[in-house]
């Protein structure tokens, strides 16, 4: 399978990955996260794990267990780490520790290298017996709510090394090596590979979207950090001046109990405008997501906080200009007037949306630049190579 990437990334790049993997051949590697589907982490692991196995590395992927209380706590951790303030459920730390104990006693953690993804399973480091442990943090921890960060730091500082998504997420209070590895997309996946125009139209029609009228699309969880209400406000400002449709596509995730609440808030903000489509699709609706992004005139990712935002790279890969929130990992992908526009308010987003809707040549220029930017920097093969490098360096 990995040979198929050569026509996109080149033989030389592929050879470099295989050479690095030779050093890890036969080793046992484990990835641990909190959900098997929904969200970028699960999506990346579903591609990364088979590729590591293909390179001769004995790689497993395990998902921790937790009840509603646990995931409510970890969602509050997630929000407070990114927002810099927090509202924690009563007994949050005790609930977190209880489920670390449960998972630590249930999971086989006897591996040469273990990647622990995000805060939810970070406490498993207490159960380390052998090997090297790497904490892979996908969210912005540059300005955390101190009580939560201080609680997690007691675990994080015991890892052998740490991976963050952007240089700006680095922390001075961690003495362990911190490596920058931006996330990535798989260009050969159902979500990102080329699909016929007729398929795009068929799927748009299926959801009552007119493919012949302009479309603004945002694909992301119904999460306040993705600013769904700001997206609707932007759309309504644009709608005053030109005909346009808004498609907001999300999916539920087992580790995000807030999703249903935010979805209802967004429904209320949308009102009875028939040109706003709020779609809650099942996880793995990859063909539909592909069609919605390719059918879009503009893609928006108007996050207020964001670790990286895989949907930005997905849209750029499909040559769609992106209006993105100026936060987290989005500025790595959206370069002003090169691949899209960075914004901080709904008004700014509306301004650039209207500009792009009226200027097809600009849309096309940004779209072509965006695809090349992703090809060079944000494909799964580059992330695979980086993981292998971090593992090799951590083993030294």
């Amino acid at each position: 399978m990995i040979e198929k990437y050569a026509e996109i990334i080149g033989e030389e790049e592929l050879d470099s990955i295989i050479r690095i993997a030779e050093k890890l051949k036969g080793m046992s590697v484990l990835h641990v996260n909190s959900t098997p589907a929904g969200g970028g982490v699960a999506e990346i692991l579903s591609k990364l794990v088979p590729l590591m196995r293909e390179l001769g590395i004995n790689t497993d992927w395990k998902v921790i267990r937790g009840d509603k209380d646990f995931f409510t706590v970890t969602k509050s951790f997630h929000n407070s780490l990114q927002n810099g303030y927090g509202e924690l459920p009563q007994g949050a730390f005790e609930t977190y520790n209880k489920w670390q104990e449960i998972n630590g006693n249930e999971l086989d953690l006897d591996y040469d290298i273990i990647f622990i993804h995000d805060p939810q399973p970070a406490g498993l480091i207490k159960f380390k017996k052998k090997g090297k442990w790497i904490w892979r943090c996908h969210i912005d921890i540059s300005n955390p709510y101190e009580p939560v960060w201080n609680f997690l730091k007691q675990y994080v500082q015991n890892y052998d090394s740490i991976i963050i998504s952007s240089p700006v997420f680095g922390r001075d209070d961690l003495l362990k090596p911190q490596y920058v590895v931006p996330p990535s997309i798989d260009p050969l996946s159902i979500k990102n590979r080329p699909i016929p125009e007729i398929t795009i139209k068929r799927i748009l029609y299926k959801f009552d979207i007119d493919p012949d009228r302009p479309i603004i699309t945002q694909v992301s969880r119904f999460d306040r950090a993705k600013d769904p209400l700001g997206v609707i406000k932007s759309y309504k400002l644009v709608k005053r001046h030109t005909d346009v449709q808004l498609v907001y596509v999300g999916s539920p995730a087992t580790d995000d109990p807030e999703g249903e609440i935010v979805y209802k808030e967004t429904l209320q903000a949308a009102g009875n405008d028939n040109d706003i489509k709020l779609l809650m699709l099942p996880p793995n609706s990859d063909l539909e997501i592909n069609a919605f992004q390719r059918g879009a005139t503009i893609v928006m990712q108007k996050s207020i906080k964001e670790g990286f935002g895989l949907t930005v790279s997905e849209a750029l890969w499909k040559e769609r200009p992106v209006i993105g929130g100026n936060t987290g990992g989005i500025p790595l992908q959206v370069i002003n007037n090169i691949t899209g526009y960075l914004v901080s308010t709904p008004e700014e987003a509306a301004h650039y949306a209207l500009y792009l809707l009226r200027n097809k040549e600009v849309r096309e220029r940004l779209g072509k630049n965006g695809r090349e930017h992703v090809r060079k920097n944000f494909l799964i093969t580059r992330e695979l190579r980086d993981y292998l490098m971090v593992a090799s360096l951590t083993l030294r």
Side-chain angles (χ1 to χ4, degrees), residues 82-289:
Q82 292 209 127
N83 297 335
Y85 59 89
E87 294 179 11
L88 304 182
Q90 190 171 9
F93 297 153
E94 290 78 8
T95 301
Y96 181 89
N97 283 334
K98 181 184 85 173
W99 281 98
Q100 303 305 306
E101 294 286 332
I102 293 170
N103 284 289
N105 285 309
E106 288 182 353
L107 295 174
D108 175 10
L109 300 171
D110 189 13
Y111 286 78
D112 296 320
I113 303 165
I114 296 185
F115 291 92
I116 299 290
H117 293 261
D118 278 333
Q120 295 96 329
L124 291 178
I125 188 70
K126 283 172 56 180
F127 296 88
K128 176 182 177 181
K129 293 175 184 170
K130 58 168 275 192
K132 298 292 185 180
W133 285 51
I134 301 166
W135 188 51
R136 201 301 181 227
C137 183
H138 294 266
I139 64 175
D140 183 352
I141 51 171
S142 60
N143 181 35
Y145 179 54
E146 289 298 331
V148 171
W149 175 244
N150 289 335
F151 172 75
L152 283 175
K153 197 172 74 171
Q154 66 178 311
Y155 299 120
V156 171
Q157 64 190 3
N158 292 319
Y159 283 76
D160 295 292
S161 58
I162 295 153
I163 297 176
I164 51 179
S165 295
S166 168
V168 299
F169 297 168
R171 292 203 57 86
D172 294 335
D173 59 348
L174 292 175
L175 300 178
K176 300 300 172 65
Q178 298 174 58
Y179 299 98
V180 177
V181 177
S184 63
I185 65 167
D186 181 2
L188 303 182
S189 68
I190 294 172
K191 187 189 277 187
N192 294 310
R193 69 191 183 195
I195 55 174
E197 190 68 27
I198 193 169
T199 304
I200 298 170
K201 287 191 173 183
R202 176 178 62 77
I203 291 172
L204 292 178
Y205 280 132
K206 177 181 172 182
F207 289 92
D208 195 26
I209 301 160
D210 183 353
D212 297 321
R213 293 165 54 212
I215 300 169
I216 298 172
T217 296
Q218 175 156 317
V219 179
S220 58
R221 290 186 186 191
F222 285 91
D223 182 321
R224 294 189 183 97
K226 317 294 184 185
D227 198 20
L229 302 189
V231 172
I232 288 180
K233 184 175 180 182
S234 300
Y235 155 81
K236 288 184 175 179
L237 290 170
V238 174
K239 188 78 172 180
R240 291 179 188 173
H241 303 280
T242 190
D243 183 31
V244 69
Q245 305 164 89
L246 173 65
V247 181
Y248 191 114
V249 189
S251 63
T254 54
D255 62 348
D256 186 6
E258 269 187 4
E260 184 66 24
I261 299 168
V262 178
Y263 176 66
K264 289 176 180 173
E265 291 172 359
T266 313
L267 268 179
Q268 189 172 12
N272 57 2
D273 187 332
N274 291 329
D275 280 338
I276 300 178
K277 308 298 182 191
L278 302 180
L279 307 176
M280 182 75 93
L281 300 187
N284 303 319
S285 299
D286 291 350
L287 181 63
E288 286 80 4
I289 298 298

Side-chain angles (χ1 to χ4, degrees), residues 57-82:
I57 303 165
N58 301 320
T59 310
D60 289 331
W61 173 14
K62 296 177 181 177
V63 176
I64 59 168
R65 287 201 304 126
D67 60 7
K68 186 178 178 182
D69 288 343
F70 172 68
F71 287 118
T72 300
V73 167
T74 56
K75 181 66 178 182
S76 73
F77 282 12
H78 177 100
N79 291 341
S80 62
L81 289 170
Q82 292 209 127

Side-chain angles (χ1 to χ4, degrees), residues 330-346:
I330 292 178
L332 297 175
Q333 305 167 81
V334 175
I335 304 168
N336 263 326
N337 202 30
I338 302 294
T339 66
Y341 295 100
L342 291 169
V343 299
S344 299
T345 66

